[in-house]
Amino acid sequence: CEVRPGPEFLTRSYLFYANRLFKALQFYYRDPSCRDPSYSLVIKGKLRLRQASWITRGATEADYQLHKVGIVFHSPQAMREVASWTNATAGCGGFLRPGRSWAPGALYELLSAKSERDCTPALGFAMHELSLVRVETRYQPAGRPQQSGSRLVEELYLGDIHTEWGERLHYRPTGYQRPMQSAVHHVHPCPACGIIYRADEHHPPVLPAQAQLPMQLSGSWVSTHCEVRPAVLFLTRYFIFHGNNHTWEGYYYHYSDPLCKQPTFTIYASGHYTQGTPSSKVRGGTELAFRVTQARVTPMDQVTVTMLNSSEPGSCGLTSSWSAGVEQDITPTNGCLALGINLPHTEYELFKTEHDAQERSLLYIGERPTDGSSPDSPAKRPTSYQAPLVQCAGAPEEFSNYLSLKYSGRKDANGNEALKPLPVAFLLFVALVFLRWD
């Protein structure tokens, strides 16, 4: 069950055909467990892959055209809500006529390229996520000791959704959402995969019930893969929370490449956090405030060293004293202006914990504002999450030199792990017929 800024709770199932046509299903819900469907969107159009992105390394840019967008309501309440949104949109007042009753299974047209009608902006709907595409192939180790070998996993990364509602209609992504799983080659186990794959707009997926976990913030948590954020940031994260005294430590390892193999600089930060309270805006989330009081920076390449040594005197550590691989405390200069770090400061956060299908403990931390700012006020508190961190049992000292997460991809002719370009056409599912409606 995905959480988008707003918040919006949804699941997605996308089907791409060899002739470049696609059919996308988006199922929206009232709850963060995706068990209470509100409405479904059926999106049909055409996608054309272009060239490698010169902004987000490892991604492919694409153009898309929408042919039709339809909506199926799953309750009278959902129909009334959408009608109130569309009636305020120019040219869409007659989309749902006043007094028209809810018709289960009826498909209503929101967008038609032929009639040049588009009522989708009222829902905050856009498919700009298709303008940035990346397919990753990796191998998942066997899950149990008695199993041997590994499983092929294919994942589709699509462009991120802007954290500000007013910006999402024209925002062009530079980061990614959480990946979609191939229906054929997906992670195992994946209880939701089959449920979502078998669903359609008239029968939305209802995901299995999950026990609500209490927020017990303690222990060590680490990224599961190289993370990509908007504005071309590649990083991995490692956090240690000390629940007994509500203090925390965090390591942010930044890189110049999408495999997190070329480190640029590392930030260590620490401070304390408040007692969490249940979020009234994002059900299932917990609101906390984090105070950042100390920070240290380690430049890892010459470009970063040059930048820091060229910074304004007194704005980032000792003037002209930076060198590669040497950590420096930036607390005395109240942070580092060149890296956008201001000390001390408070961030208003959203956290959530859950177990995955392998019974691993996952920690979700609020998504950072797309504009690169800090959630430094309650009004900027996140309403969606970053990629989850997984709990680990390692001691802090074991991670002090943690610079890279292993990328389990295929190797090139020289035996080096390589980032594979996207194929000319890619298929997530296999289909024989392109479904249409009149």
Side-chain angles (χ1 to χ4, degrees), residues 291-295 314-318 329-345:
R291 185 72 172 170
V292 187
T293 55
Q294 298 181 56
S315 68
C316 187
L318 297 176
D329 191 352
I330 58 172
T331 308
T333 53
N334 297 322
C336 179
L337 185 62
L339 296 177
I341 303 173
N342 180 38
L343 295 175
H345 77 273

Side-chain angles (χ1 to χ4, degrees), residues 254 264-267 296-299 304 307-308 311 315-316 322 330 335-342 372:
H254 290 257
T264 53
F265 63 93
T266 297
I267 299 173
R296 302 194 296 265
V297 172
T298 307
T304 305
M307 178 190 69
L308 296 178
S311 60
S315 68
C316 187
W322 294 93
I330 58 172
C336 179
L337 185 62
L339 296 177
I341 303 173
N342 180 38

Side-chain angles (χ1 to χ4, degrees), residues 24-290:
L25 295 173
Q26 295 183 351
F27 308 99
Y28 290 81
Y29 304 80
R30 298 189 180 281
D31 66 298
S33 299
C34 289
R35 293 183 54 79
D36 183 11
S38 179
Y39 61 86
S40 300
L41 295 181
V42 190
I43 306 115
K44 294 181 179 180
K46 195 167 189 176
L47 181 71
R48 183 175 67 90
L49 300 179
R50 295 172 57 200
Q51 69 278 336
S53 172
W54 61 273
I55 297 178
T56 306
R57 290 181 59 191
T60 295
E61 295 179 355
D63 291 329
Y64 71 92
Q65 293 177 320
L66 295 183
H67 297 161
K68 291 185 178 182
V69 177
I71 185 169
V72 177
F73 301 104
H74 303 304
S75 71
Q77 181 183 357
M79 187 175 189
R80 288 193 298 269
E81 287 179 353
V82 172
S84 67
W85 301 338
T86 57
N87 286 341
T89 303
C92 295
F95 162 64
L96 288 173
R97 292 185 294 276
R100 186 170 182 179
S101 60
W102 172 53
L107 181 64
Y108 303 90
E109 192 174 79
L110 281 171
L111 178 149
S112 171
K114 288 185 179 180
S115 63
E116 298 184 351
R117 180 183 190 177
D118 185 5
C119 298
T120 59
L123 281 69
F125 169 84
M127 285 299 286
H128 299 326
E129 61 191 271
L130 292 178
S131 63
L132 195 70
V133 183
R134 171 172 168 164
V135 172
E136 268 194 17
T137 300
R138 59 185 175 85
Y139 290 89
Q140 178 188 13
R144 295 181 177 86
Q146 63 268 28
Q147 292 178 324
S148 60
S150 58
R151 294 179 181 270
L152 177 66
V153 174
E154 289 183 336
E155 296 177 320
L156 172 66
Y157 288 80
L158 296 177
D160 62 302
I161 308 299
H162 202 288
T163 53
E164 291 293 329
W165 180 275
E167 300 292 330
R168 62 195 298 179
L169 294 183
H170 57 263
Y171 170 67
R172 288 299 183 268
T174 55
Y176 302 117
Q177 300 175 68
R178 290 186 62 189
M180 301 178 73
Q181 302 291 317
S182 163
V184 179
H185 304 294
H186 54 263
V187 296
H188 288 266
C190 183
C193 289
I195 297 173
I196 298 172
Y197 171 67
R198 290 187 294 269
D200 59 41
E201 60 269 30
H202 305 291
H203 306 90
V206 176
L207 300 189
Q210 288 188 322
Q212 188 71 42
L213 297 182
M215 175 56 67
Q216 296 177 338
L217 203 55
S218 62
S220 302
W221 304 79
V222 67
S223 298
T224 61
H225 63 280
C226 186
E227 299 174 8
V228 182
R229 289 184 182 171
V232 201
L233 292 177
F234 307 106
L235 76 159
T236 58
R237 297 171 291 153
Y238 169 57
F239 288 96
I240 310 111
F241 299 99
H242 307 281
N244 57 335
N245 60 4
H246 281 206
T247 59
W248 68 279
E249 303 170 75
Y251 295 85
Y252 305 82
Y253 302 96
H254 290 257
Y255 304 82
S256 62
D257 69 297
L259 298 185
C260 288
K261 286 184 167 293
Q262 301 167 14
T264 53
F265 63 93
T266 297
I267 299 173
Y268 166 83
S270 63
H272 56 270
Y273 59 93
T274 62
Q275 183 72 36
T277 58
S279 172
S280 59
K281 194 169 186 180
V282 186
R283 279 190 290 161
T286 299
E287 295 181 351
L288 303 99
F290 277 74

Side-chain angles (χ1 to χ4, degrees), residues 322-399:
W322 294 93
S323 58
V326 179
E327 184 181 69
Q328 188 173 152
D329 191 352
I330 58 172
T331 308
T333 53
N334 297 322
C336 179
L337 185 62
L339 296 177
I341 303 173
N342 180 38
L343 295 175
H345 77 273
T346 300
E347 295 191 348
Y348 295 84
E349 271 294 359
L350 180 73
F351 276 52
K352 178 181 72 170
T353 55
E354 65 179 35
H355 286 150
D356 66 6
Q358 296 173 302
E359 292 302 314
R360 299 181 304 173
S361 295
L362 302 179
L363 175 64
Y364 292 83
I365 301 178
E367 188 174 2
R368 308 295 295 182
T370 304
D371 63 8
S373 63
S374 171
D376 53 8
S377 69
K380 296 184 68 175
R381 191 187 301 273
T383 56
S384 56
Y385 302 99
Q386 300 176 54
L389 306 174
V390 65
Q391 189 168 32
C392 53
E397 55 268 20
E398 295 177 14
F399 289 85

